[in-house]
Amino acid sequence: MKSSCPERPMNQSRLPTETKLREEIPTVTRRVKPPTEKELRIREILEKLNQQIPPRPFTHLNTTTSATHSTATILNPRDKYCKGDQLDILIEARDYLRNKKKYGGDFLRARMSSPALKAGASGKVTDFNNGTYLVSFTLFWEGQVALSILLIHPSEGVAALWRARNQGYDRIAFKGKFVNGTTQVLTECGLTLNSSNEFCKYLYSGGEEVFYCMKPQHMPCEALTHVCTKQQAVSFLTDKEKDLFQKSNIGVEMMKNPKYISVFQCNKSEENRTQKCQMGTEIPTPSGYTFQGRWITAQCKQNLLNSSQINDCLKGKLIYLLGDSTLRQWINYFPKVANTLKPFDLHGTGLYKKHLLLDADRHTLVEWKKHSHPFITVQLYSVIDDGYIPQEIDRLPGDKDTVIVITLGQHFRPFPMELFIRRVISIQKAIERLFLRGPNTKVIIKAENIREMYLDTEKFGDFHGYIQYLTMKDIFKDLHVGFIDAWDMTIACGSNILHPPDEVIRNQIVMFLNYIC
């Protein structure tokens, strides 16, 4: 922790006068620090994303993609479809004036479902960048299947969201509480801070992660104990662009007829997956489906463990859950899976305190700890033992009985993408260091999930989450880690809420147990 108090200047008598300086040093060449490997990687990822999401200026809503006027055509239609077949649908995007779109970039969400069977799966969307899209469904189960292709945002809306996101940090305001004895003071804080007044600067990893607070009078920077946030009425969208995010223009159905197909067994043999789910397994798209409420992976064999097997597996395990409240849901659900795990009170306060479950007899520990800034909540949360995820990983020695689960994303959506990329790369590097000292440590990445469709799209919309989901998968693809595809799971089960229902949490924990048992 450093205060930004200006350093005392050098002894003025030893400094040459301005005239003398010019005589002695005719030209002053400042040495430019070359970009680090991480900076180059961040730049490369951002450039790639900028190419994939180019600017799409528009003059009127009529020239943007219309779900009603676009067409969805089943390729090679049949009266009878067989389980295991692939169903392809061609989308031709048109605007409100019925003109065919000449470019891609629309944000689509494809889903097939059979509510009576509690079955669902996502579809794979291929963008040909010319106004046409191929949506591919794998017919995982038999029965009547409903088909849905939603236009979440037209490409013009996507481009506006991307531009607006990367324009600044002003959408969320941070407040810090400083405590000195009985005196408490709230001051302005943030990931950036423009002020000529004295401020505190909290650094991690040589300044890669920085958090600022205005320094209160007569208090040291070390007196910061709590932080909270508040959403600001700040938008970087134009009034015309805001029309694209009216409720009536978000998540509009593109499928007309047929909306249902019938799938039969067709005497096909059941596909028997023999490979156990394990670290480093490549994740296909879609990565699985729900059936009778149970998540079934597409790439590996899942075992349903009984309570005795689960208790044996967890014996001696140290499990660290690092992330946001969608991972805190795990610690609330774990005792339903392993009833010998009991909460241990660490005397913290609030929802975002460190949570701990213990089974002393079996030497099992499960701990949830929130990730550090940015963490968005109006409730004050303690920063006394706060740690960025890379910091937390660096503190663990690691061994065959240590398991780390990581998730982040929801709290990063209102901020420029560079912040998320930087943090994920820092986590990647911390995992690599962990594997050097503890190569048998198990690390599992839980992707972020979809959430409410009609909330403040500019700050929290799923388009931001989808870009983060793809970026995280790409950064972690060469690491020997497990991956829980919460994005695909929540599309499959149709849970459009920030905190998915218990059924989804159970499926995530079952997947987790298949990786570690």
Side-chain angles (χ1 to χ4, degrees):
M1 297 181 182
K2 291 183 180 176
S3 166
S4 69
C5 297
E7 294 179 10
R8 289 178 63 190
M10 292 170 64
N11 188 330
Q12 295 295 324
S13 62
R14 294 186 183 179
L15 288 172
T17 63
E18 190 178 341
T19 311
K20 196 174 179 185
L21 181 65
R22 288 193 188 123
E23 290 170 1
E24 291 177 359
I25 311 170
T27 56
V28 178
T29 308
R30 285 190 177 180
R31 198 172 161 192
V32 180
K33 199 176 177 183
T36 63
E37 180 192 339
K38 181 186 280 188
E39 294 294 341
L40 290 172
R41 182 89 195 279
I42 293 168
R43 204 178 293 172
E44 177 193 336
I45 294 170
L46 278 173
E47 282 174 5
K48 186 178 168 186
L49 288 171
N50 284 327
Q51 287 169 5
Q52 291 171 347
I53 316 167
R56 300 286 185 207
F58 70 101
T59 53
H60 197 277
L61 187 68
N62 284 345
T63 62
T64 67
T65 308
S66 161
T68 306
H69 296 105
S70 299
T71 59
T73 309
I74 293 179
L75 301 180
N76 305 314
R78 287 178 292 198
D79 295 329
K80 184 179 179 181
Y81 294 92
C82 296
K83 182 180 171 183
D85 285 354
Q86 181 169 303
L87 176 75
D88 290 327
I89 299 172
L90 184 70
I91 301 286
E92 286 194 335
R94 295 180 181 273
D95 64 22
Y96 286 82
L97 303 174
R98 302 179 188 273
N99 298 313
K100 191 176 182 310
K101 295 293 289 287
K102 297 287 198 297
Y103 50 83
D106 296 315
F107 183 33
L108 309 180
R109 179 174 297 163
R111 180 174 182 256
M112 55 184 269
S113 61
S114 298
L117 299 171
K118 293 181 75 177
S122 69
K124 182 180 180 181
V125 179
T126 305
D127 185 349
F128 295 116
N129 295 311
N130 61 1
T132 60
Y133 304 82
L134 184 69
V135 176
S136 303
F137 290 107
T138 302
L139 305 179
F140 288 112
W141 63 86
E142 57 182 303
Q144 190 181 59
V145 176
L147 304 173
S148 168
I149 302 169
L150 300 180
L151 173 64
I152 307 292
H153 304 305
S155 51
E156 294 79 9
V158 164
L161 287 174
W162 179 245
R163 188 206 73 244
R165 174 176 186 169
N166 294 304
Q167 272 185 253
Y169 288 79
D170 302 333
R171 297 177 191 87
I172 305 293
F174 292 81
K175 288 280 184 188
K177 184 170 90 169
F178 289 76
V179 177
N180 187 354
T182 56
T183 307
Q184 297 184 3
V185 180
L186 281 173
T187 75
E188 183 186 348
C189 298
L191 300 165
T192 61
L193 208 59
N194 294 322
S195 175
S196 57
N197 296 328
E198 189 180 356
F199 58 85
C200 299
K201 190 174 181 181
Y202 304 93
L203 301 173
Y204 162 67
S205 186
E208 281 186 4
E209 304 287 359
V210 189
F211 189 71
Y212 303 92
C213 284
M214 298 303 300
K215 187 177 182 298
Q217 285 188 333
H218 315 303
M219 280 198 193
C221 290
E222 291 82 359
L224 178 67
T225 61
H226 291 78
V227 170
C228 64
T229 63
K230 184 182 177 184
Q231 295 185 42
Q232 299 292 86
V234 172
S235 174
F236 295 105
L237 296 173
T238 66
D239 289 341
K240 211 170 280 183
E241 287 169 342
K242 287 176 186 175
D243 288 341
L244 296 172
F245 307 109
Q246 298 293 328
K247 190 173 180 179
S248 58
N249 294 328
I250 297 176
V252 185
E253 185 60 67
M254 303 183 87
M255 279 300 294
K256 282 105 184 165
N257 286 306
K259 286 188 176 181
Y260 299 91
I261 59 165
S262 294
V263 181
F264 300 88
Q265 184 67 38
C266 300
N267 296 320
K268 285 193 172 185
S269 59
E270 288 285 330
E271 188 180 346
N272 196 10
R273 299 180 191 87
T274 55
Q275 185 190 11
K276 180 184 179 295
C277 297
Q278 55 192 355
M279 302 292 172
T281 305
E282 190 175 340
I283 307 296
T285 303
S287 59
Y289 62 102
T290 56
F291 189 77
Q292 301 294 359
R294 182 183 154 221
W295 176 254
I296 300 164
T297 58
Q299 80 276 12
C300 57
K301 181 186 175 186
Q302 281 169 286
N303 294 316
L304 277 176
L305 306 173
N306 60 39
S307 57
S308 175
Q309 290 170 316
I310 291 170
N311 285 334
D312 287 345
C313 168
L314 295 180
K315 190 174 182 179
K317 292 280 193 298
L318 304 175
I319 300 167
Y320 299 94
L321 311 177
L322 307 174
D324 58 32
S325 55
T326 63
L327 200 50
R328 191 190 67 225
Q329 287 181 273
W330 281 33
I331 209 148
N332 296 333
Y333 195 86
F334 250 114
K336 298 177 185 176
V337 175
N339 58 15
T340 58
L341 286 167
K342 305 296 180 189
F344 187 87
D345 186 5
L346 291 167
H347 296 196
T349 56
L351 276 175
Y352 306 111
K353 65 184 180 182
K354 189 192 291 185
H355 290 259
L356 198 64
L357 296 175
L358 288 177
D359 178 347
D361 293 336
R362 289 184 174 83
H363 300 282
T364 303
L365 174 145
V366 183
E367 177 188 290
W368 174 82
K369 193 173 180 185
K370 67 170 189 60
H371 66 65
S372 192
H373 316 298
F375 199 86
I376 300 168
T377 171
V378 293
Q379 299 180 37
L380 282 165
Y381 58 87
S382 172
V383 293
I384 297 300
D385 65 342
D386 213 22
Y388 295 95
I389 290 177
Q391 268 178 300
E392 300 293 345
I393 295 170
D394 285 339
R395 289 168 183 162
L396 298 172
D399 60 24
K400 65 180 179 58
D401 289 320
T402 299
V403 186
I404 302 171
V405 185
I406 296 164
T407 195
L408 76 163
Q410 298 284 354
H411 294 260
F412 286 76
R413 292 186 182 190
F415 300 100
M417 186 66 184
E418 181 183 349
L419 179 70
F420 179 78
I421 297 169
R422 183 182 302 280
R423 188 69 53 83
V424 175
I425 292 174
S426 294
I427 292 169
Q428 175 208 5
K429 297 297 183 189
I431 293 170
E432 288 173 353
R433 293 191 294 271
L434 172 69
F435 285 162
L436 291 176
R437 62 183 180 272
N440 295 322
T441 310
K442 291 183 171 68
V443 177
I444 295 161
I445 308 299
K446 183 187 83 68
E448 65 185 284
N449 49 259
I450 64 171
R451 63 177 299 175
E452 297 82 359
M453 207 176 284
Y454 306 115
L455 79 178
D456 188 334
T457 306
E458 184 181 354
K459 289 188 183 85
F460 299 109
D462 273 343
F463 168 69
H464 299 314
Y466 183 60
I467 296 301
Q468 291 177 171
Y469 163 72
L470 295 179
T471 301
M472 181 182 260
K473 276 174 58 167
D474 186 55
I475 290 171
F476 286 132
K477 70 178 185 295
D478 296 325
L479 280 180
H480 193 67
V481 297
F483 191 77
I484 294 175
D485 198 343
W487 188 269
D488 211 34
M489 275 188 188
T490 46
I491 290 177
C493 77
S495 66
N496 296 303
I497 49 175
L498 173 59
H499 296 108
D502 278 358
E503 190 175 81
V504 175
I505 304 304
R506 185 189 72 236
N507 282 322
Q508 292 174 2
I509 291 177
V510 166
M511 190 76 205
F512 161 80
L513 292 170
N514 269 264
Y515 275 126
I516 71 166
C517 297

